Amino acid sequence: MPVTEGLLNRGFRLTTTRGTYFLKQHLDAATADRATVARQHRATQRLHALGLPVAPPLADARGRTVVVVGGHCYALHPWVEGRHRDGGQLSTGCCRRLGTLLGQVHTALDRVMDAPEAGGTDADPCASADPQDTFRAIDELIRLVRAHRPRDSFDALAEHRLRERRGLLARHAHHRPPAASAAGWVHGDFHPLNLLYRGAEPAAIVDWDRLGLRPRTEEAVRAAAIFFVRPEGELALGKVRAYARAYRRATGADGAELAAAAHRVWWERLNDFWTLRWRYQLHDRRADAQFPAVSALAVWWTREYEAVREAFAG
C-alpha cells in the first residue's frame, strides 16, 4: 500500500506473514545515491543504540541495508505505529519534550558522526540570501503567475504576496545577516510529517535524507516555524517559548545563539518562495496547500519581529 505523505521520496506499507514493514524508495536526486543512504542508515543505527526514537533499516543476510533495483535505492524499515501531530495538537509539556528531543538529536549526532574534514564538502553553504537575487526571482515569478491560465484565486494571492514581499525586502534589505559561523550535524528536515507520535510521546523520527552539516540552532528555529505556525500565518509564541527553552537546556545553547538563528531564519523566509517555484516553474502543485500559511508567516514575522526573537531567546 503506498504511503502518500512524502513530497520527495516514495514509500509503501508492506504487510507480510512475518510482520508489517515500511519500504522506502529513495528518489530525491540530491540524497538518493547508495553511499549517502548508507551513511543515513549508520547514523540511525547509532542513534538507536543511544536510545533515541528512530527506526533503523533492516539488514539482509550480508548485513546490507541498501538495495539498488532499476537504478533506485530501496531500504526496508520496521513499521512504526503512530500518527503525526502538529503544534496545535501539542500541549505545553509536549512542546518542551519536542525541544528536548531535538536537542538530544543534535548532541547525539555530535557523538556518532565523524567530525567534518577541513575543507570538506558536507556542509551546505551558509551565506544568507542576496536580496538582489530575490528581486529578480520575484519578477520572474510574477511573470509566470500573470501568464498562468485559467487564472484563479491562488494566482491572485500569489501575485499579491509577491508584490507585498518585494516591498518588505526593499524596506529591510539592510538587515541581511552575515554568513553563519558554525555548523553541526542535523536531521535536516525536522517537521511534523517526519515525527511519529504514540499518544503524547514521540515514537520515531523518520526521513533522515537531509542529514548534513548545517547551523544547529537554525534547524531548531526552522522546525518551530513549521510545528507552531497557525493556519493564518502566526506563530504560537507561548509554545515556541516552551520549546526553545527546553532546546537550550538540552544543548547548552544560549539565548543569543537562538536570537541570531531566529534572525537568519526570518531572513530566509523573507527571501524564499519554494512553494511558488514548485507550482509555476516545476508545474507541481503538491505544495499549494502550504502556501497561504507560509507566505503569511513571513509578513507576520516581520511585523512581530521582536516578540518572535524574545520567544526564542527569552
Side-chain angles (χ1 to χ4, degrees):
M1 176 186 298
V3 177
T4 60
E5 284 89 345
L7 292 178
L8 296 177
N9 296 295
R10 188 175 297 151
F12 304 88
R13 176 174 177 162
L14 303 182
T15 302
T16 75
T17 56
R18 297 188 177 185
T20 304
Y21 304 92
F22 176 72
L23 177 66
K24 181 170 183 176
Q25 181 183 11
H26 291 263
L27 295 174
D28 183 21
T31 61
D33 64 281
R34 186 171 195 154
T36 299
V37 175
R39 181 172 68 174
Q40 297 161 12
H41 291 174
R42 289 193 298 271
T44 56
Q45 288 165 340
R46 294 165 182 171
L47 292 174
H48 184 262
L50 293 177
L52 286 169
V54 295
L58 301 173
D60 65 15
R62 296 170 59 183
R64 299 173 301 183
T65 59
V66 185
V67 174
V68 179
V69 179
H72 294 298
C73 290
Y74 292 82
L76 190 66
H77 299 258
W79 181 262
V80 178
E81 291 293 344
R83 65 187 184 96
H84 304 294
R85 304 180 73 191
D86 61 33
Q89 299 168 304
L90 301 180
S91 67
T92 300
C94 287
C95 296
R96 286 193 289 267
R97 287 195 287 276
L98 181 66
T100 298
L101 176 61
L102 183 57
Q104 291 171 338
V105 167
H106 287 170
T107 56
L109 284 171
D110 272 350
R111 294 173 57 186
V112 305
M113 299 298 293
D114 295 332
E117 298 180 3
T121 59
D122 279 313
D124 282 355
C126 296
S128 58
D130 184 335
Q132 297 306 315
D133 293 336
T134 305
F135 289 137
R136 287 189 287 270
I138 289 173
D139 289 343
E140 173 61 13
L141 284 168
I142 288 176
R143 184 188 68 80
L144 292 173
V145 169
R146 288 177 171 176
H148 184 258
R149 293 292 183 274
R151 186 174 175 85
D152 57 22
S153 59
F154 188 104
D155 300 324
L157 177 62
E159 184 170 355
H160 166 71
R161 289 302 191 192
L162 287 164
R163 290 179 173 280
E164 180 180 52
R165 194 76 61 83
R166 185 161 56 190
L168 286 175
L169 273 172
R171 291 195 295 275
H172 293 280
H174 61 291
H175 291 308
R176 180 186 180 187
S181 59
W185 288 101
V186 298
H187 176 275
D189 202 19
F190 194 81
H191 60 69
L193 289 181
N194 285 340
L195 181 59
L196 287 166
Y197 278 85
R198 190 174 296 120
E201 296 299 323
I205 306 166
V206 300
D207 285 348
W208 291 79
D209 304 74
R210 299 303 176 89
L211 174 71
L213 285 163
R214 301 177 192 87
R216 297 193 309 181
T217 50
E218 287 183 32
E219 170 155 273
V221 173
R222 198 173 291 114
I226 302 173
F227 270 95
F228 303 118
V229 66
R230 293 168 171 158
E232 62 272 21
E234 300 178 1
L235 291 178
L237 293 183
K239 292 184 175 184
V240 169
R241 186 174 294 107
Y243 158 92
R245 286 176 177 172
Y247 176 82
R248 296 201 309 270
R249 285 194 297 270
T251 60
D254 61 27
E257 291 177 84
L258 267 292
H263 180 73
R264 287 183 58 81
V265 177
W266 162 76
W267 181 258
E268 175 186 282
R269 290 290 182 267
L270 206 58
N271 284 268
D272 184 50
F273 306 96
W274 75 271
T275 54
L276 295 185
R277 291 183 186 278
W278 275 41
R279 177 183 172 96
Y280 294 107
Q281 294 179 333
L282 303 179
H283 308 291
D284 186 334
R285 298 192 175 194
R286 287 178 297 165
D288 281 7
Q290 300 184 40
F291 174 69
V294 168
S295 59
L297 174 60
V299 179
W300 178 87
W301 193 337
T302 302
R303 185 174 66 248
E304 302 295 334
Y305 178 88
E306 291 300 332
V308 177
R309 181 183 185 279
E310 191 279 331
F312 282 106

